[in-house]
C-alpha cells in the first residue's frame, strides 16, 4: 500500500490515510436527489469521489464504495418545511414521484457512466431502506435524543454538545440571527427525523411508522444506509462543500448519538463549480448546464472530466464555454497523441522494467495524486512525459496507460457485465419483486427484497435494471 495524504474536513488538516482494516477502504458518497437531471456542478462532485476511489485503488487498496440515491423528496427549504421537490416535479409533469425518481436515477447512471465514473459497489435507494431509517430513529428516541412536534419527530441538537464542532458553527450567532423559522423546534439547529403526512394530503410516497404515516427527514437515509453497509464507524465520507454545515453535521449528530461511536474517520468535500459571475451552478438559480448541453457544443463528456482533473478539488472550478473549449482542445490533443502512439504498436512493459528517466515520471505522478489528489500536477507530469523526446514509445505508452487508471480519460465501450452465479431462488425473488414494484404492490415488493436479504444478497439498481450482489 502506498502512502496517501488526504485533507480531512474534520479538523481541517492534511492527514496520512490509515484505514480501519488493513488494505480495505469503506467509502460512502452522498448521491443525487433524483427529481431532475443532474447538472455538471453535481457531476463535479461525482468525478471527485471517483478520482478519490481511483487513487485509493491505485495505491493498492480494495475499496467498497456505497452511494445513496435520494428518491424520497427533500423539502425545498433547510428549515424542514416548504414543498417536497420530488412531489413538485411529479405534479408539474403529471407523473407520480415514483416515475420521476426512476427516470432521473436511470439518467444519472447514464451520465456518470459517460464520465467514466466507475460503478459503485452498492447503490442504495432511500425508498428501499425505510425500515432501516425507522429503526435508527427508534434508537435515537429510546436514547432520549428526540421530541415530537405537530409535524414530526425532531432531533434535539442541544443534547449533542459537539454539534457545532465539525462545521465550526457559530450557534450563538445562528440563534441570534433569526430568519430560521423555529415553528415548534426547541433549537434552531434541530432537524426532522420523521415527518408526518398532512391529514389533508395523499402523498405518492409515504410509509407507516411507530409515530404515524409519513416520510423520513432530510438526513437520516445517509446515516442509516452508510452504517448498514459499511459499519458503525467507517473510513471515508464524501460530498460537496455545501453539505458540511447542515447535512453532514446532522449525519454526525444522529449517527454518533445512536451508536455512541465515532461515525467517520475522514471527511472529504469538493468545492463548487461556479459561473463566471461567481455564483454556484445550481438548479434553483436556473443557471444549469448538463452533459447534453455540452454535447450540443460538440464537447465530449470526458473533456469535462479532463476539466475537473485540471483543477484541484478543493478549489472552485470556474465554468464558461471558453474554459470548456480550452479543456476540450487539450483533451482532444491527448486523444490524438494516444491514437497515434497506438498505431506504432507499443509494448506495455512491467513497471519495474522502466528506465531511470521513465521512473522519474512515475514517481512525480504518484507524488501528485497521493498528495491529496493533486491531479493538476499529475496532468502536468503527463504532458511533460508526452513532450519528452528521450523517453521511447514503449515506456510512454506504459506510463500513460498506468496514469489513466487514475485519470480515467480513455473512452471505453461498455462491455456487458459478467453476472456471477446467483442462486435461482434469489433470481426468482428478484423477478417477483420487479413484478410487485411494477404493480405498485410495495408491501409484497419489500417482502421479496427482505427475503433476498435473508439469503445473503442485496439488490442493486443499475442502468440495465435491478441486479443482486452478495452482501
Ligand atoms: P444534490 O442532488 O442537490 O443533493 O447534489 C448532489 C451533489 O452535488 C452534492 O454532493 C452537492 O454538494 C453537489 N453539488 C451541487 N451543486 C454543485 C456545484 N455547483 N458544484 C459542485 N458540486 C455541487
Ligand atoms: Zn448524504
Amino acid at each position: 500500500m502506498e502512502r496517501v495524504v488526504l485533507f480531512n474536513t474534520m479538523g481541517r488538516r492534511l492527514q496520512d490515510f490509515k484505514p480501519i482494516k488493513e488494505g480495505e477502504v469503506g467509502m460512502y458518497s452522498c448521491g443525487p436527489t433524483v427529481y431532475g437531471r443532474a447538472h455538471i456542478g453535481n457531476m463535479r462532485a461525482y468525478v471527485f469521489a471517483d478520482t478519490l476511489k481511483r487513487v485509493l485503488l491505485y495505491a493498492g487498496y480494495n475499496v467498497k464504495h456505497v452511494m445513496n440515491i435520494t428518491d424520497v423528496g427533500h423539502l425545498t427549504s433547510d428549515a424542514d418545511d416548504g414543498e417536497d421537490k420530488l412531489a413538485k416535479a411529479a405534479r408539474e409533469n403529471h407523473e407520480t414521484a415514483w416515475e420521476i425518481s426512476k427516470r432521473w436515477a436511470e439518467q444519472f447512471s447514464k451520465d456518470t457512466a459517460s464520465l467514466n465514473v466507475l460503478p459503485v459497489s452498492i447503490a442504495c435507494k432511500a425508498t428501499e431502506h425505510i425500515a432501516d431509517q425507522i429503526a435508527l430513529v427508534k434508537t435515537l428516541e429510546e436514547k432520549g435524543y428526540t421530541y415530537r412536534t405537530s409535524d414530526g419527530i425532531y432531533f434535539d441538537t442541544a443534547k449533542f454538545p459537539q454539534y457545532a464542532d465539525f462545521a465550526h458553527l457559530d450557534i450563538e450567532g445562528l440563534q441570534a440571527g433569526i430568519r430560521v423559522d423555529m415553528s415548534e423546534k426547541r433549537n434552531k439547529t434541530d432537524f426532522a427525523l420523521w415527518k408526518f403526512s398532512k391529514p389533508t394530503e395523499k402523498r405518492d410516497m409515504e410509509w407507516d411508522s411507530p409515530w404515524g404515516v409519513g416520510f423520513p427527514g432530510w438526513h437520516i437515509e445517509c446515516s442509516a444506509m452508510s452504517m448498514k453497509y459499511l459499519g458503525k464507524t467507517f473510513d471515508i465520507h464524501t460530498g460537496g462543500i455545501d453539505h458540511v454545515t447542515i447535512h453532514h453535521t446532522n449525519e454526525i449528530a444522529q449517527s454518533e448519538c445512536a451508536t455512541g461511536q465515532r461515525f467517520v474517520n475522514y471527511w472529504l468535500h469538493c468545492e463548487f463549480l461556479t459561473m463566471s459571475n461567481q455564483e454556484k451552478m445550481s438548479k434553483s438559480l436556473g443557471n444549469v448546464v448538463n452533459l447534453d448541453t455540452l454535447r450540443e457544443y460538440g464537447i465530449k463528456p470526458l473533456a469535462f472530466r479532463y476539466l475537473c482533473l485540471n483543477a484541484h478539488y478543493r478549489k472552485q472550478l470556474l465554468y464558461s464555454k471558453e474554459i470548456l473549449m480550452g479543456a476540450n482542445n487539450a483533451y482532444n490533443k491527448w486523444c490524438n497523441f494516444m491514437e497515434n502512439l497506438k498505431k506504432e504498436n507499443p509494448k506495455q512493459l512491467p513497471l519495474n522494467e522502466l528506465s531511470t528517466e521513465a521512473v522519474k515520471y512515475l514517481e512525480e505522478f504518484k507524488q501528485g495524486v497521493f498528495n491529496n489528489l493533486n491531479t493538476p500536477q499529475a496532468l502536468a507530469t503527463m504532458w511533460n512525459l508526452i513532450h519528452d523526446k528521450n523517453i521511447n514509445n514503449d515506456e510512454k505508452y506504459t506510463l500513460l496507460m498506468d496514469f489513466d487508471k487514475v485519470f480515467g480519460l480513455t473512452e471505453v465501450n461498455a462491455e456487458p457485465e459478467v453476472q456471477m452465479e446467483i442462486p435461482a431462488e434469489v433470481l426468482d425473488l428478484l423477478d417477483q419483486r420487479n413484478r410487485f414494484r411494477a404493480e405498485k404492490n410495495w408491501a409484497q415488493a419489500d417482502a421479496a427484497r427482505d427475503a433476498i436479504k435473508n439469503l445473503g444478497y442485496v439488490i442493486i439498481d443499475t442502468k440495465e435494471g435491478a441486479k443482486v450482489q452478495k452482501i
Side-chain angles (χ1 to χ4, degrees):
M1 241 64 60
E2 307 255 5
R3 175 174 174 230
V4 178
V5 173
L6 299 173
F7 184 86
N8 195 347
T9 305
M10 176 79 80
R12 306 281 192 285
R13 63 196 171 98
L14 289 167
Q15 278 183 305
D16 270 28
F17 174 66
K18 297 250 182 309
I20 296 166
K21 201 166 154 219
E22 174 84 37
E24 307 283 332
V25 182
M27 170 167 152
Y28 182 88
S29 299
C30 285
T33 311
V34 285
Y35 67 100
R37 178 94 184 248
H39 55 75
I40 58 170
N42 302 134
M43 287 300 145
R44 183 187 193 198
Y46 303 113
V47 168
F48 150 67
D50 183 62
T51 308
L52 171 60
K53 174 168 142 189
R54 285 170 177 268
V55 165
L56 292 164
L57 290 167
Y58 189 74
Y61 289 101
N62 286 323
V63 182
K64 181 172 175 188
H65 188 196
V66 179
M67 182 161 69
N68 65 308
I69 306 286
T70 301
D71 58 348
V72 177
H74 273 179
L75 298 172
T76 41
S77 105
D78 282 349
D80 290 314
D81 58 16
E83 194 176 10
D84 170 332
K85 286 180 187 168
L86 201 55
K88 184 163 175 255
R91 186 168 44 73
E92 285 168 1
N93 288 283
H94 306 286
E95 284 179 287
T96 64
W98 295 100
E99 286 161 335
I100 295 278
S101 63
K102 182 170 180 289
R103 169 143 41 88
W104 294 118
E106 282 168 5
Q107 184 63 51
F108 178 77
S109 295
K110 282 188 201 152
D111 284 343
T112 45
S114 59
L115 287 168
N116 277 356
V117 168
L118 299 171
V120 293
S121 323
I122 296 176
C124 38
K125 288 188 171 172
T127 52
E128 290 174 5
H129 295 77
I130 299 295
D132 300 291
Q133 297 174 65
I134 290 175
L136 190 55
V137 179
K138 273 189 85 169
T139 305
L140 289 167
E141 185 180 47
E142 280 156 20
K143 293 194 171 185
Y145 289 105
T146 67
Y147 62 94
R148 188 184 184 112
T149 72
S150 58
D151 70 3
I153 303 295
Y154 281 78
F155 183 91
D156 187 347
T157 52
K159 295 204 168 138
F160 184 56
Q162 308 90 302
Y163 184 80
D165 294 357
F166 179 63
H168 299 175
L169 293 178
D170 169 15
I171 302 277
E172 306 268 291
L174 261 179
Q175 298 283 17
I178 306 301
R179 282 215 55 216
V180 178
D181 179 14
M182 285 284 280
S183 57
E184 296 162 59
K185 287 203 278 188
R186 291 182 188 165
N187 310 287
K188 289 223 170 66
T189 45
D190 292 357
F191 55 93
L193 296 166
W194 186 263
K195 293 277 284 186
F196 305 135
S197 296
K198 293 198 179 89
T200 49
E201 71 178 352
K202 176 78 193 104
R203 297 173 56 87
D204 286 337
M205 287 182 173
E206 57 184 7
W207 296 266
D208 210 359
S209 83
W211 312 280
V213 174
F215 54 101
W218 215 41
H219 318 286
I220 198 80
E221 69 180 67
C222 285
S223 291
M225 297 195 284
S226 61
M227 292 197 289
K228 176 180 177 129
Y229 294 112
L230 297 170
K232 288 176 184 165
T233 305
F234 59 91
D235 297 302
I236 300 180
H237 196 313
T238 76
I241 192 83
D242 52 331
H243 283 342
V244 177
T245 49
I246 297 178
H247 184 52
H248 290 166
T249 289
N250 291 349
E251 274 188 47
I252 292 170
Q254 65 201 3
S255 307
E256 298 197 351
C257 289
T259 66
Q261 293 182 22
R262 184 204 262 264
F263 177 42
V264 170
N265 287 338
Y266 300 84
W267 288 88
L268 276 87
H269 293 96
C270 87
E271 255 295 351
F272 283 140
L273 180 114
T274 55
M275 310 305 282
S276 19
N277 53 6
Q278 288 299 304
E279 67 185 19
K280 84 175 221 201
M281 182 175 282
S282 100
K283 213 169 171 209
S284 53
L285 294 173
N287 57 7
V288 297
V289 167
N290 62 39
L291 292 184
D292 284 343
T293 326
L294 304 194
R295 289 186 178 103
E296 280 161 26
Y297 296 159
I299 291 167
K300 285 185 188 155
L302 288 174
F304 174 70
R305 185 174 176 108
Y306 181 95
L307 178 74
C308 293
L309 296 172
N310 209 19
H312 194 268
Y313 76 89
R314 293 196 61 232
K315 296 229 168 77
Q316 289 194 348
L317 173 57
L318 186 64
Y319 167 83
S320 73
K321 202 170 161 186
E322 292 67 38
I323 290 172
L324 198 59
M325 290 297 184
N328 197 47
N329 286 342
Y331 176 65
N332 283 336
K333 251 191 227 163
W334 179 83
C335 292
N336 290 339
F337 181 83
M338 290 304 281
E339 211 176 302
N340 290 330
L341 187 59
K342 280 178 193 160
K343 283 185 193 148
E344 313 273 323
N345 290 322
K347 269 208 299 264
Q348 204 165 345
L349 309 165
L351 291 179
N352 58 10
E353 285 179 21
L354 292 175
S355 66
T356 322
E357 289 71 34
V359 165
K360 274 191 202 141
Y361 284 104
L362 182 62
E363 292 304 323
E364 204 180 292
F365 172 80
K366 287 184 181 177
Q367 245 173 43
V369 294
F370 293 150
N371 177 18
N372 194 31
L373 275 55
N374 193 341
T375 48
Q377 185 194 312
L379 279 179
T381 302
M382 179 189 86
W383 285 112
N384 289 339
L385 167 70
I386 285 177
H387 296 131
D388 191 336
K389 301 246 176 343
N390 297 319
I391 306 284
N392 69 39
N393 281 349
D394 289 351
E395 293 200 310
K396 269 190 190 169
Y397 182 67
T398 303
L399 283 169
L400 291 170
M401 292 305 283
D402 188 60
F403 295 176
D404 206 51
K405 289 180 191 157
V406 172
F407 293 144
L409 293 170
T410 305
E411 208 150 357
V412 275
N413 297 320
E415 288 186 19
E417 255 177 67
V418 187
Q419 261 283 25
M420 58 169 179
E421 283 256 326
I422 310 277
E425 195 186 359
V426 174
L427 289 175
D428 187 42
L429 281 164
L430 182 66
D431 189 44
Q432 285 180 33
R433 178 216 180 229
N434 289 342
R435 273 187 286 116
F436 288 136
R437 284 176 69 87
E439 291 161 8
K440 299 200 169 37
N441 186 344
W442 309 119
Q444 295 272 40
D446 282 356
R449 183 207 55 208
D450 291 346
I452 290 174
K453 201 181 123 211
N454 288 338
L455 293 168
Y457 287 81
V458 64
I459 298 172
I460 330 165
D461 287 287
T462 72
K463 47 189 163 92
E464 293 91 26
K467 287 187 179 163
V468 282
Q469 182 176 295
K470 223 168 173 27
I471 295 173

